[in-house]
Amino acid sequence: MNTTLLNQTDCPEVKVPWPLFFIIGVVSLAENLLVVIAVISNRNLHSPMYCFICSLAAFNSMACLIKSWENLMILLADAGHLQKTDLSAKRLDDLMDSLLLMSFMGSIFSFLAIAVDRYITIFHALRYHNIMTMRRTAAILALIWTVCGVSALLMIHFFEYFFIMISFVVFFVVSLSIICFLYVYMFMLARIHAQKIASLPSGATRGVLTLTILFGAFLVCWSPFFLHLIIMMVCPFNPYCECYRSLFQLHVVLLMSHALIDPAIYAFRCPELRRTFRKMLLCSQLL
């Protein structure tokens, strides 16, 4: 995405050393690929919730890979090895923006799917395995990836249209509102029906807390970047808005750090994943 300041302001653009981008990108990519491999390899993790977590890790991997590749292109362009005006470079930039937007939307949809899964686990425990079958889980994942891919391509292609910009903002706000409502609703019902909830497996309520932490990390890491996009739309020529836009590279670092934080939360909060990581790193046989 274009980070060139449109106006002269008293806020110089904050630069982040390019090696930091690649270090975060490589480490994040390795961590999230480890999560994907762990879920695929361990049959004990072949459940709807872990499938959605695997999808979230895949979207995180995509975001890290795309931003690392985009930073590499910027370095090549600054060194004179790549012409920014080339049509092929413009198309490649649009493709990378589409994939980044796809990973952003996919992360939100993955969180939404996980929230619904946890709701069914807690409040429809006896019917859970009839409602959330692996076939339905596969269909949901296929729908998420298809919708996110098509929507991202269309949004980037028609991003100049005001309707598309508004739709993007509405999607973000509505999606986060639904997810927050589900989590708050689950915790409120859990307090009202404390005795009933206590009879459920401890992993159910523990899973809700884990996913709440994951969602909180997502909000902290992605919100500055999303606010940057909103400012690009609503006040592109305002010097005060440009001061916030001057922090773009810091917002990108924070965005990429989300993919770095998630696997650490998985490992800390999920014993089965922790055991799987240990076996993978020690080259032990998985279940």
Side-chain angles (χ1 to χ4, degrees):
M1 292 185 180
N2 188 9
T3 61
T4 303
L5 297 180
L6 299 178
N7 298 291
Q8 295 295 326
T9 71
D10 296 329
C11 305
E13 185 175 9
V14 177
K15 296 287 187 179
V16 175
W18 67 265
L20 181 61
F21 284 111
F22 290 104
I23 292 173
I24 295 177
V26 170
V27 175
S28 301
L29 182 61
E31 286 184 349
N32 284 278
L33 287 178
L34 190 65
V35 173
V36 174
I37 296 172
V39 173
I40 294 175
S41 302
N42 190 343
R43 290 195 298 271
N44 291 336
L45 300 177
H46 291 181
S47 65
M49 186 190 76
Y50 284 109
C51 287
F52 294 136
I53 287 179
C54 182
S55 175
L56 178 61
F59 281 120
N60 283 341
S61 299
M62 181 188 299
C64 293
L65 189 61
I66 294 305
K67 287 310 300 180
S68 298
W69 180 251
E70 188 175 46
N71 291 329
L72 179 61
M73 287 187 61
I74 293 174
L75 285 176
L76 292 175
D78 292 341
H81 300 298
L82 181 67
Q83 296 297 323
K84 295 182 180 180
T85 56
D86 286 350
L87 182 60
S88 58
K90 176 64 171 59
R91 289 177 177 174
L92 183 59
D93 185 62
D94 288 343
L95 177 60
M96 289 191 296
D97 287 344
S98 298
L99 292 174
L100 184 63
L101 181 57
M102 178 182 174
S103 67
F104 172 74
M105 296 176 65
S107 297
I108 293 180
F109 276 121
S110 295
F111 276 117
L112 182 58
I114 294 171
V116 173
D117 176 79
R118 290 300 87 192
Y119 176 83
I120 297 174
T121 301
I122 293 177
F123 300 108
H124 300 279
L126 298 179
R127 300 174 53 211
Y128 174 78
H129 293 291
N130 293 327
I131 298 174
M132 291 300 299
T133 63
M134 291 303 294
R135 179 174 296 182
R136 287 179 180 173
T137 300
I140 293 171
L141 289 175
L143 181 63
I144 288 175
W145 281 82
T146 301
V147 169
C148 291
V150 173
S151 299
L153 287 173
L154 292 176
M155 282 188 176
I156 292 300
H157 186 72
F158 299 103
F159 197 73
E160 293 80 6
Y161 293 90
F162 187 72
F163 172 76
I164 297 297
M165 298 180 183
I166 294 298
S167 298
F168 181 67
V169 175
V170 170
F171 162 77
F172 181 79
V173 174
V174 170
S175 299
L176 294 190
S177 299
I178 293 174
I179 296 172
C180 289
F181 171 78
L182 282 174
Y183 282 130
V184 172
Y185 185 63
M186 280 189 283
F187 279 117
M188 288 179 63
L189 286 183
R191 294 190 61 181
I192 295 173
H193 304 286
Q195 185 176 0
K196 180 180 178 181
I197 298 300
S199 65
L200 293 175
S202 60
T205 52
R206 183 181 177 86
V208 173
L209 182 58
T210 300
L211 297 171
T212 303
I213 296 172
L214 288 171
F215 183 60
F218 174 82
L219 286 178
V220 171
C221 294
W222 277 89
S223 293
F225 180 79
F226 180 75
L227 182 58
H228 176 92
L229 297 181
I230 294 179
I231 287 176
M232 287 177 60
M233 294 185 287
V234 299
C235 59
F237 304 106
N238 188 304
Y240 295 101
C241 293
E242 290 301 318
C243 282
Y244 185 83
R245 281 165 53 93
S246 68
L247 303 174
F248 178 77
Q249 291 193 13
L250 290 179
H251 302 158
V252 174
V253 169
L254 197 58
L255 178 154
M256 296 176 68
S257 297
H258 172 250
L260 190 69
I261 295 171
D262 272 4
I265 298 175
Y266 302 148
F268 180 73
R269 298 289 305 176
C270 303
E272 186 62 36
L273 264 178
R274 193 161 56 245
R275 285 192 294 269
T276 305
F277 291 156
R278 189 181 301 115
K279 290 181 178 180
M280 292 175 61
L281 295 176
L282 296 176
C283 299
S284 301
Q285 186 177 358
L286 295 174
L287 296 177

